[in-house]
Coordinates of all heavy atoms in Angstrom, one line a residue:
L5 N -7.0 4.9 -16.4 CA -7.9 5.8 -15.7 C -7.1 6.8 -14.9 O -7.5 8.0 -14.9 CB -8.8 5.0 -14.8 CG -10.1 4.6 -15.3 CD1 -10.8 3.7 -14.4 CD2 -11.0 5.8 -15.6
F6 N -6.0 6.4 -14.3 CA -5.3 7.3 -13.5 C -4.5 8.3 -14.3 O -4.3 9.4 -13.9 CB -4.4 6.6 -12.5 CG -5.1 5.8 -11.5 CD1 -5.2 4.4 -11.5 CD2 -5.8 6.4 -10.5 CE1 -5.9 3.7 -10.6 CE2 -6.6 5.7 -9.6 CZ -6.6 4.3 -9.6
A7 N -4.2 7.9 -15.6 CA -3.5 8.9 -16.5 C -4.5 9.9 -17.0 O -4.2 11.0 -17.2 CB -2.9 8.1 -17.6
V8 N -5.8 9.4 -17.2 CA -6.8 10.3 -17.7 C -7.1 11.4 -16.7 O -7.4 12.6 -17.0 CB -8.1 9.5 -18.1 CG1 -9.2 10.4 -18.4 CG2 -7.7 8.6 -19.3
V9 N -7.1 11.0 -15.4 CA -7.5 12.0 -14.4 C -6.5 13.1 -14.3 O -6.8 14.2 -13.8 CB -7.8 11.3 -13.0 CG1 -6.5 11.0 -12.3 CG2 -8.7 12.1 -12.1
N10 N -5.3 12.9 -14.7 CA -4.2 14.0 -14.6 C -4.2 14.9 -15.8 O -3.4 15.8 -15.9 CB -2.9 13.3 -14.5 CG -2.7 12.6 -13.1 OD1 -3.3 13.1 -12.2 ND2 -2.0 11.5 -13.1
L11 N -5.1 14.6 -16.8 CA -5.2 15.5 -18.0 C -5.8 16.8 -17.6 O -6.6 16.9 -16.7 CB -6.0 14.8 -19.1 CG -5.4 13.7 -19.8 CD1 -6.4 13.1 -20.8 CD2 -4.2 14.1 -20.6
P12 N -5.5 17.9 -18.3 CA -6.2 19.2 -18.1 C -7.7 19.0 -18.3 O -8.1 18.3 -19.2 CB -5.5 20.1 -19.1 CG -4.2 19.5 -19.5 CD -4.4 18.0 -19.3
E13 N -8.5 19.8 -17.6 CA -9.9 19.7 -17.7 C -10.4 20.0 -19.1 O -11.3 19.2 -19.6 CB -10.6 20.6 -16.7 CG -12.1 20.5 -16.6 CD -12.5 19.3 -15.9 OE1 -11.8 18.7 -15.1 OE2 -13.7 18.9 -16.1
E14 N -9.9 21.0 -19.8 CA -10.4 21.3 -21.1 C -10.1 20.2 -22.1 O -10.9 20.0 -23.0 CB -9.9 22.7 -21.6 CG -8.4 22.8 -21.6 CD -7.7 23.2 -20.3 OE1 -8.4 23.4 -19.3 OE2 -6.5 23.3 -20.3
E15 N -8.9 19.6 -22.0 CA -8.6 18.5 -22.9 C -9.5 17.2 -22.6 O -9.9 16.6 -23.6 CB -7.1 18.1 -22.8 CG -6.7 17.0 -23.8 CD -5.2 16.7 -23.7 OE1 -4.5 17.5 -23.1 OE2 -4.8 15.7 -24.4
L16 N -9.7 17.0 -21.4 CA -10.6 15.9 -21.0 C -12.0 16.1 -21.5 O -12.7 15.2 -22.0 CB -10.6 15.6 -19.5 CG -11.3 14.4 -19.0 CD1 -10.7 13.1 -19.6 CD2 -11.2 14.3 -17.5
R17 N -12.5 17.3 -21.4 CA -13.9 17.6 -21.9 C -14.0 17.5 -23.4 O -15.1 17.2 -23.9 CB -14.3 19.0 -21.4 CG -14.7 19.1 -20.0 CD -15.2 20.5 -19.7 NE -15.5 20.6 -18.3 CZ -16.7 20.2 -17.7 NH1 -17.6 19.7 -18.4 NH2 -16.9 20.4 -16.4
S18 N -12.9 17.6 -24.1 CA -13.0 17.5 -25.6 C -13.2 16.0 -26.0 O -13.6 15.8 -27.1 CB -11.7 18.0 -26.2 OG -10.6 17.2 -25.9
H19 N -13.0 15.1 -25.1 CA -13.2 13.7 -25.4 C -14.4 13.2 -24.5 O -14.2 12.8 -23.3 CB -12.0 12.8 -25.1 CG -10.8 13.3 -25.9 ND1 -10.6 13.0 -27.2 CD2 -9.7 14.0 -25.5 CE1 -9.5 13.5 -27.7 NE2 -8.9 14.2 -26.6
S20 N -15.6 13.3 -25.0 CA -16.8 13.1 -24.2 C -16.9 11.8 -23.5 O -17.3 11.7 -22.4 CB -18.0 13.5 -25.0 OG -18.1 12.5 -26.1
V21 N -16.5 10.7 -24.2 CA -16.6 9.4 -23.6 C -15.6 9.2 -22.5 O -16.0 8.7 -21.4 CB -16.4 8.3 -24.7 CG1 -16.4 6.9 -24.1 CG2 -17.5 8.4 -25.8
A22 N -14.4 9.6 -22.7 CA -13.4 9.5 -21.6 C -13.8 10.4 -20.4 O -13.6 10.0 -19.3 CB -12.0 10.0 -22.2
Y23 N -14.4 11.5 -20.7 CA -14.8 12.4 -19.6 C -15.9 11.8 -18.8 O -15.9 11.8 -17.6 CB -15.2 13.8 -20.1 CG -15.7 14.7 -19.1 CD1 -14.8 15.3 -18.2 CD2 -17.0 15.0 -18.9 CE1 -15.2 16.2 -17.2 CE2 -17.4 15.9 -17.9 CZ -16.5 16.5 -17.1 OH -16.9 17.3 -16.1
A24 N -16.9 11.2 -19.5 CA -18.0 10.6 -18.8 C -17.6 9.4 -18.0 O -18.0 9.2 -16.9 CB -19.1 10.1 -19.9
N25 N -16.7 8.6 -18.6 CA -16.1 7.4 -17.8 C -15.4 7.9 -16.6 O -15.5 7.2 -15.5 CB -15.3 6.6 -18.7 CG -16.0 5.7 -19.7 OD1 -17.2 5.3 -19.4 ND2 -15.5 5.4 -20.8
C26 N -14.6 8.9 -16.7 CA -13.8 9.4 -15.6 C -14.8 10.0 -14.5 O -14.5 9.7 -13.3 CB -12.9 10.5 -16.1 SG -11.7 11.0 -14.9
Q27 N -15.8 10.7 -14.9 CA -16.7 11.2 -13.9 C -17.5 10.0 -13.2 O -17.7 10.1 -12.0 CB -17.8 12.1 -14.6 CG -17.2 13.4 -15.1 CD -16.6 14.2 -14.0 OE1 -17.1 14.4 -12.9 NE2 -15.4 14.7 -14.3
L28 N -17.9 9.0 -13.9 CA -18.6 7.9 -13.3 C -17.6 7.1 -12.4 O -18.0 6.7 -11.3 CB -19.1 7.0 -14.4 CG -19.8 5.7 -14.0 CD1 -21.1 6.1 -13.2 CD2 -20.1 4.8 -15.1
T29 N -16.4 6.9 -12.8 CA -15.5 6.1 -12.0 C -15.1 6.7 -10.7 O -15.1 6.0 -9.7 CB -14.2 5.9 -12.8 OG1 -14.5 5.2 -14.0 CG2 -13.2 5.0 -12.1
F30 N -14.9 8.0 -10.7 CA -14.4 8.7 -9.5 C -15.6 9.2 -8.6 O -15.3 9.9 -7.7 CB -13.4 9.7 -9.8 CG -12.1 9.1 -10.3 CD1 -11.8 9.2 -11.6 CD2 -11.3 8.5 -9.4 CE1 -10.6 8.6 -12.1 CE2 -10.1 7.9 -9.9 CZ -9.8 8.0 -11.2
R31 N -16.8 8.9 -9.0 CA -18.0 9.4 -8.2 C -18.2 8.4 -7.0 O -18.3 7.2 -7.3 CB -19.2 9.5 -9.0 CG -20.4 10.1 -8.3 CD -21.7 10.1 -9.1 NE -21.5 10.3 -10.5 CZ -22.2 9.7 -11.4 NH1 -23.1 8.9 -11.1 NH2 -22.0 9.9 -12.7
G32 N -18.2 8.8 -5.8 CA -18.5 7.9 -4.7 C -17.5 6.8 -4.5 O -16.3 7.1 -4.6
S33 N -18.0 5.6 -4.3 CA -17.1 4.5 -4.1 C -17.0 3.6 -5.3 O -16.7 2.4 -5.1 CB -17.5 3.7 -2.8 OG -18.8 3.2 -3.0
N34 N -17.3 4.1 -6.5 CA -17.3 3.2 -7.7 C -16.0 2.6 -7.9 O -15.9 1.4 -8.3 CB -17.8 4.0 -8.9 CG -19.3 4.3 -8.9 OD1 -20.0 3.8 -8.1 ND2 -19.7 5.3 -9.7
L35 N -14.9 3.3 -7.8 CA -13.6 2.8 -8.1 C -13.2 1.7 -7.1 O -12.7 0.6 -7.5 CB -12.5 3.9 -8.0 CG -11.1 3.4 -8.3 CD1 -11.0 2.9 -9.8 CD2 -10.1 4.6 -8.1
Q36 N -13.5 1.9 -5.8 CA -13.2 0.8 -4.9 C -14.0 -0.4 -5.1 O -13.5 -1.6 -5.0 CB -13.5 1.3 -3.4 CG -12.6 2.4 -3.0 CD -13.0 3.1 -1.7 OE1 -14.1 2.9 -1.3 NE2 -12.1 3.8 -1.1
C37 N -15.3 -0.3 -5.4 CA -16.1 -1.4 -5.7 C -15.7 -2.2 -7.0 O -15.7 -3.4 -7.1 CB -17.6 -1.0 -5.9 SG -18.4 -0.4 -4.4
F38 N -15.2 -1.4 -8.0 CA -14.7 -2.0 -9.2 C -13.4 -2.8 -8.9 O -13.3 -3.9 -9.4 CB -14.4 -0.9 -10.3 CG -13.6 -1.4 -11.4 CD1 -14.2 -2.2 -12.4 CD2 -12.2 -1.2 -11.5 CE1 -13.4 -2.7 -13.4 CE2 -11.5 -1.6 -12.6 CZ -12.1 -2.4 -13.5
L39 N -12.5 -2.2 -8.2 CA -11.3 -2.9 -7.9 C -11.5 -4.2 -7.0 O -10.9 -5.2 -7.3 CB -10.3 -2.0 -7.1 CG -9.8 -0.8 -8.0 CD1 -8.9 0.1 -7.1 CD2 -9.0 -1.3 -9.2
I40 N -12.4 -4.2 -6.1 CA -12.7 -5.3 -5.3 C -13.4 -6.4 -6.2 O -13.0 -7.6 -6.1 CB -13.6 -5.0 -4.1 CG1 -12.8 -4.2 -3.1 CG2 -14.2 -6.2 -3.4 CD1 -13.6 -3.6 -2.0
G41 N -14.3 -6.0 -7.0 CA -15.0 -7.0 -7.9 C -14.0 -7.6 -8.9 O -14.1 -8.8 -9.2
R42 N -13.1 -6.8 -9.4 CA -12.1 -7.3 -10.3 C -11.2 -8.3 -9.6 O -10.9 -9.3 -10.2 CB -11.3 -6.1 -10.9 CG -10.3 -6.6 -11.9 CD -9.5 -5.3 -12.4 NE -8.4 -5.8 -13.2 CZ -7.2 -6.1 -12.8 NH1 -6.9 -6.0 -11.5 NH2 -6.2 -6.4 -13.6
Q43 N -10.8 -8.0 -8.4 CA -10.0 -9.0 -7.7 C -10.7 -10.3 -7.4 O -10.1 -11.4 -7.6 CB -9.5 -8.3 -6.4 CG -8.4 -9.1 -5.7 CD -7.1 -9.2 -6.5 OE1 -6.8 -8.2 -7.2 NE2 -6.4 -10.3 -6.5
I44 N -11.9 -10.2 -7.0 CA -12.7 -11.5 -6.8 C -12.8 -12.2 -8.1 O -12.7 -13.5 -8.2 CB -14.1 -11.1 -6.2 CG1 -13.9 -10.6 -4.8 CG2 -15.0 -12.3 -6.3 CD1 -15.2 -10.0 -4.2
F45 N -13.1 -11.5 -9.2 CA -13.2 -12.2 -10.5 C -11.9 -12.9 -10.9 O -11.9 -14.0 -11.4 CB -13.6 -11.2 -11.6 CG -13.6 -11.7 -13.0 CD1 -14.6 -12.6 -13.4 CD2 -12.6 -11.4 -13.9 CE1 -14.7 -13.1 -14.6 CE2 -12.7 -11.9 -15.2 CZ -13.7 -12.8 -15.5
V46 N -10.8 -12.2 -10.7 CA -9.5 -12.8 -11.1 C -9.2 -14.0 -10.2 O -8.7 -15.0 -10.7 CB -8.4 -11.7 -11.0 CG1 -7.0 -12.3 -11.1 CG2 -8.5 -10.7 -12.1
A47 N -9.4 -13.9 -8.9 CA -9.2 -15.1 -8.1 C -10.1 -16.3 -8.5 O -9.6 -17.4 -8.5 CB -9.4 -14.7 -6.6
T48 N -11.3 -16.0 -8.8 CA -12.2 -17.1 -9.2 C -11.7 -17.7 -10.5 O -11.8 -18.9 -10.7 CB -13.7 -16.6 -9.3 OG1 -14.1 -16.0 -8.1 CG2 -14.6 -17.7 -9.7
L49 N -11.3 -16.8 -11.4 CA -10.8 -17.3 -12.7 C -9.6 -18.2 -12.6 O -9.5 -19.2 -13.3 CB -10.5 -16.1 -13.6 CG -10.1 -16.4 -15.0 CD1 -11.3 -17.0 -15.8 CD2 -9.7 -15.1 -15.8
M50 N -8.7 -17.8 -11.6 CA -7.6 -18.7 -11.4 C -8.0 -20.1 -11.0 O -7.4 -21.1 -11.4 CB -6.7 -18.1 -10.3 CG -5.8 -16.9 -10.8 SD -4.7 -16.3 -9.6 CE -3.8 -17.7 -9.2
F51 N -9.0 -20.2 -10.1 CA -9.4 -21.5 -9.7 C -10.1 -22.3 -10.8 O -9.9 -23.5 -11.0 CB -10.4 -21.4 -8.5 CG -9.7 -21.1 -7.2 CD1 -9.8 -19.9 -6.6 CD2 -9.0 -22.1 -6.6 CE1 -9.1 -19.6 -5.4 CE2 -8.3 -21.9 -5.4 CZ -8.4 -20.6 -4.8
V52 N -10.8 -21.6 -11.6 CA -11.5 -22.3 -12.8 C -10.5 -22.8 -13.8 O -10.5 -23.9 -14.2 CB -12.5 -21.3 -13.4 CG1 -13.0 -21.9 -14.7 CG2 -13.7 -21.1 -12.5
V53 N -9.5 -21.9 -14.1 CA -8.5 -22.3 -15.1 C -7.6 -23.4 -14.5 O -7.2 -24.4 -15.2 CB -7.6 -21.1 -15.5 CG1 -6.4 -21.5 -16.3 CG2 -8.5 -20.1 -16.3
A54 N -7.3 -23.4 -13.2 CA -6.5 -24.4 -12.6 C -7.3 -25.7 -12.7 O -6.7 -26.8 -12.9 CB -6.2 -24.1 -11.2
R55 N -8.6 -25.7 -12.5 CA -9.3 -27.0 -12.5 C -9.4 -27.5 -14.0 O -9.3 -28.7 -14.2 CB -10.8 -26.7 -12.0 CG -11.5 -27.9 -11.8 CD -10.9 -28.7 -10.6 NE -11.2 -30.1 -10.8 CZ -10.4 -31.0 -10.5 NH1 -9.2 -30.8 -9.9 NH2 -10.7 -32.3 -10.7
I56 N -9.5 -26.6 -14.9 CA -9.5 -27.1 -16.3 C -8.2 -27.6 -16.8 O -8.1 -28.6 -17.5 CB -10.0 -25.9 -17.2 CG1 -11.5 -25.6 -16.9 CG2 -9.8 -26.2 -18.7 CD1 -12.0 -24.3 -17.6
A57 N -7.1 -26.9 -16.4 CA -5.8 -27.2 -16.9 C -5.1 -28.4 -16.1 O -4.0 -28.8 -16.5 CB -4.9 -26.0 -16.8
S58 N -5.7 -28.9 -15.1 CA -5.1 -29.9 -14.3 C -5.5 -31.3 -14.7 O -6.7 -31.5 -14.8 CB -5.4 -29.7 -12.8 OG -4.9 -28.5 -12.3
P59 N -4.6 -32.2 -15.0 CA -4.9 -33.5 -15.4 C -5.4 -34.3 -14.1 O -4.9 -34.1 -13.1 CB -3.7 -34.1 -15.9 CG -2.6 -33.4 -15.2 CD -3.1 -32.0 -15.0
V60 N -6.4 -35.1 -14.3 CA -6.9 -36.0 -13.2 C -6.8 -37.4 -13.7 O -7.4 -37.8 -14.7 CB -8.3 -35.6 -12.8 CG1 -8.8 -36.6 -11.7 CG2 -8.4 -34.2 -12.3
Y61 N -6.0 -38.2 -13.0 CA -5.9 -39.6 -13.3 C -6.3 -40.5 -12.1 O -6.1 -40.1 -11.0 CB -4.4 -39.9 -13.6 CG -3.9 -39.3 -14.9 CD1 -3.3 -38.1 -14.9 CD2 -4.1 -39.9 -16.1 CE1 -2.9 -37.4 -16.0 CE2 -3.7 -39.3 -17.3 CZ -3.1 -38.1 -17.2 OH -2.7 -37.5 -18.4
A62 N -7.0 -41.5 -12.4 CA -7.5 -42.5 -11.4 C -6.2 -43.3 -10.9 O -5.2 -43.2 -11.5 CB -8.5 -43.4 -11.9
D63 N -6.5 -43.9 -9.8 CA -5.3 -44.7 -9.2 C -4.8 -45.8 -10.1 O -3.6 -46.1 -10.0 CB -5.8 -45.3 -7.8 CG -6.0 -44.2 -6.8 OD1 -5.4 -43.1 -6.9 OD2 -6.8 -44.4 -5.8
D64 N -5.7 -46.4 -10.9 CA -5.3 -47.5 -11.7 C -4.7 -47.1 -13.1 O -4.2 -47.9 -13.8 CB -6.4 -48.5 -11.9 CG -7.6 -47.8 -12.5 OD1 -7.7 -46.6 -12.5 OD2 -8.5 -48.6 -13.0
D65 N -4.8 -45.8 -13.4 CA -4.2 -45.2 -14.6 C -2.7 -45.0 -14.5 O -2.2 -44.9 -13.4 CB -4.8 -43.9 -15.0 CG -6.3 -44.0 -15.4 OD1 -6.7 -45.1 -15.8 OD2 -7.0 -43.0 -15.3
D66 N -2.0 -45.1 -15.7 CA -0.6 -44.7 -15.7 C -0.4 -43.2 -15.4 O -1.2 -42.4 -15.8 CB 0.0 -45.1 -17.0 CG 0.1 -46.6 -17.3 OD1 0.1 -47.3 -16.3 OD2 0.1 -46.9 -18.5
N67 N 0.7 -42.9 -14.7 CA 0.9 -41.5 -14.4 C 1.4 -40.8 -15.6 O 2.1 -41.4 -16.5 CB 2.0 -41.4 -13.3 CG 1.5 -41.9 -12.0 OD1 0.2 -42.0 -11.8 ND2 2.3 -42.1 -11.0
I68 N 1.2 -39.5 -15.7 CA 1.6 -38.7 -16.9 C 3.1 -38.6 -16.8 O 3.7 -38.4 -15.8 CB 0.9 -37.3 -16.8 CG1 1.2 -36.6 -18.1 CG2 1.3 -36.5 -15.6 CD1 0.4 -35.3 -18.3
F69 N 3.7 -38.8 -18.0 CA 5.2 -38.8 -18.2 C 5.9 -39.7 -17.2 O 7.1 -39.6 -17.0 CB 5.7 -37.3 -17.9 CG 5.1 -36.3 -18.8 CD1 4.5 -35.2 -18.3 CD2 5.1 -36.4 -20.2 CE1 3.9 -34.2 -19.1 CE2 4.5 -35.5 -21.0 CZ 3.9 -34.4 -20.5
G70 N 5.2 -40.7 -16.7 CA 5.9 -41.7 -15.8 C 6.4 -41.1 -14.5 O 7.4 -41.7 -14.0
V71 N 5.8 -40.1 -14.0 CA 6.3 -39.5 -12.7 C 5.8 -40.4 -11.6 O 4.9 -41.3 -11.7 CB 5.7 -38.1 -12.5 CG1 6.3 -37.2 -13.6 CG2 4.2 -38.0 -12.5
S72 N 6.3 -40.1 -10.4 CA 6.0 -40.9 -9.2 C 4.5 -40.6 -8.8 O 3.9 -39.6 -9.2 CB 6.9 -40.6 -8.0 OG 6.7 -39.3 -7.6
D73 N 4.0 -41.5 -7.9 CA 2.6 -41.3 -7.5 C 2.4 -40.1 -6.6 O 1.4 -39.4 -6.7 CB 2.2 -42.6 -6.6 CG 2.0 -43.8 -7.5 OD1 1.7 -43.6 -8.7 OD2 2.0 -44.9 -7.0
G74 N 3.4 -39.7 -5.8 CA 3.4 -38.5 -5.0 C 3.3 -37.3 -5.9 O 2.5 -36.3 -5.6
F75 N 4.2 -37.2 -6.9 CA 4.2 -36.1 -7.8 C 2.9 -36.0 -8.6 O 2.4 -34.9 -8.9 CB 5.4 -36.1 -8.7 CG 5.6 -34.8 -9.5 CD1 5.9 -33.6 -8.8 CD2 5.4 -34.7 -10.8 CE1 6.1 -32.4 -9.5 CE2 5.6 -33.6 -11.5 CZ 5.9 -32.4 -10.8
Q76 N 2.4 -37.2 -9.0 CA 1.1 -37.2 -9.7 C 0.0 -36.7 -8.8 O -0.9 -35.9 -9.3 CB 0.8 -38.6 -10.2 CG -0.5 -38.7 -11.1 CD -0.4 -37.9 -12.4 OE1 0.6 -38.0 -13.1 NE2 -1.4 -37.1 -12.6
G77 N 0.0 -37.0 -7.6 CA -1.0 -36.5 -6.6 C -0.9 -34.9 -6.5 O -1.9 -34.3 -6.4
F78 N 0.3 -34.4 -6.6 CA 0.5 -33.0 -6.6 C -0.1 -32.3 -7.8 O -0.8 -31.3 -7.8 CB 2.0 -32.6 -6.4 CG 2.3 -31.1 -6.6 CD1 1.9 -30.2 -5.7 CD2 2.9 -30.7 -7.8 CE1 2.2 -28.9 -5.8 CE2 3.1 -29.4 -8.0 CZ 2.8 -28.4 -7.0
L79 N 0.1 -33.0 -9.0 CA -0.4 -32.5 -10.2 C -1.9 -32.5 -10.2 O -2.6 -31.6 -10.8 CB 0.1 -33.3 -11.4 CG 1.6 -33.1 -11.8 CD1 2.0 -34.1 -12.9 CD2 1.9 -31.7 -12.1
N80 N -2.5 -33.5 -9.6 CA -4.0 -33.6 -9.5 C -4.6 -32.5 -8.6 O -5.8 -32.3 -8.7 CB -4.4 -35.0 -9.0 CG -4.1 -36.0 -10.0 OD1 -3.8 -35.8 -11.2 ND2 -4.1 -37.3 -9.5
T81 N -3.8 -31.8 -7.8 CA -4.4 -30.8 -6.9 C -4.9 -29.6 -7.6 O -5.7 -28.8 -7.2 CB -3.5 -30.4 -5.8 OG1 -2.3 -29.8 -6.4 CG2 -3.0 -31.5 -4.9
G82 N -4.3 -29.3 -8.8 CA -4.6 -28.1 -9.6 C -3.7 -26.9 -9.3 O -3.9 -25.8 -9.9
L83 N -2.8 -27.0 -8.4 CA -1.9 -25.9 -8.1 C -1.0 -25.5 -9.3 O -0.7 -24.4 -9.5 CB -1.0 -26.3 -6.9 CG -1.7 -26.3 -5.6 CD1 -0.8 -26.8 -4.5 CD2 -2.3 -25.0 -5.2
T84 N -0.6 -26.5 -10.1 CA 0.2 -26.2 -11.3 C -0.6 -25.3 -12.2 O -0.1 -24.4 -12.8 CB 0.7 -27.4 -12.0 OG1 -0.4 -28.2 -12.3 CG2 1.6 -28.2 -11.1
G85 N -1.9 -25.5 -12.4 CA -2.7 -24.7 -13.3 C -2.9 -23.3 -12.7 O -2.9 -22.3 -13.4
A86 N -2.9 -23.2 -11.4 CA -3.0 -21.9 -10.8 C -1.8 -21.1 -10.9 O -1.8 -19.9 -11.1 CB -3.4 -22.0 -9.3
V87 N -0.6 -21.8 -10.8 CA 0.7 -21.1 -11.0 C 0.8 -20.6 -12.4 O 1.4 -19.5 -12.7 CB 1.8 -22.0 -10.6 CG1 3.2 -21.4 -10.9 CG2 1.7 -22.3 -9.1
I88 N 0.4 -21.4 -13.4 CA 0.5 -21.0 -14.8 C -0.3 -19.8 -15.1 O 0.2 -18.9 -15.9 CB 0.1 -22.2 -15.7 CG1 1.1 -23.3 -15.6 CG2 -0.1 -21.8 -17.1 CD1 0.7 -24.6 -16.3
T89 N -1.5 -19.7 -14.5 CA -2.3 -18.5 -14.8 C -1.8 -17.3 -14.0 O -2.0 -16.2 -14.2 CB -3.8 -18.7 -14.4 OG1 -3.9 -19.0 -13.1 CG2 -4.4 -19.8 -15.3

């Protein structure tokens, strides 16, 4: 978007869809609302993926790869999944 806004006006008008998107984006506070919404979406997605990608083992199960109980507890928190995303 920021590259499109630097194009000459006559070139931008020749591409009607790009021109309409540019006009809509930079009208009012649309860009700020989009960026805030995108950031909230990405943060939420990180938590969801972390929850999906994190193994959860009960206390009586064997630990994954034979790691210690403390390290298994760390893996169960979901932080490793958040770091991966």
Side-chain angles (χ1 to χ4, degrees):
L5 268 170
F6 294 109
V8 172
V9 80
N10 292 328
L11 288 174
E13 185 73 22
E14 59 275 357
E15 186 175 348
L16 187 58
R17 284 188 183 271
S18 67
H19 303 283
S20 62
V21 174
Y23 180 73
N25 283 333
C26 191
Q27 293 299 317
L28 179 65
T29 301
F30 291 105
R31 184 182 330 139
S33 64
N34 288 345
L35 181 62
Q36 292 171 344
C37 292
F38 167 75
L39 292 176
I40 290 170
R42 181 180 175 271
Q43 191 64 34
I44 291 170
F45 175 73
V46 168
T48 304
L49 186 65
M50 283 183 58
F51 284 105
V52 169
V53 170
R55 192 69 208 142
I56 292 170
S58 298
V60 177
Y61 293 94
D63 291 335
D64 57 343
D65 291 340
D66 291 335
N67 292 344
I68 188 170
F69 304 124
V71 297
S72 67
D73 289 337
F75 190 68
Q76 184 64 47
F78 171 73
L79 291 176
N80 289 348
T81 63
L83 290 175
T84 53
V87 170
I88 290 171
T89 59

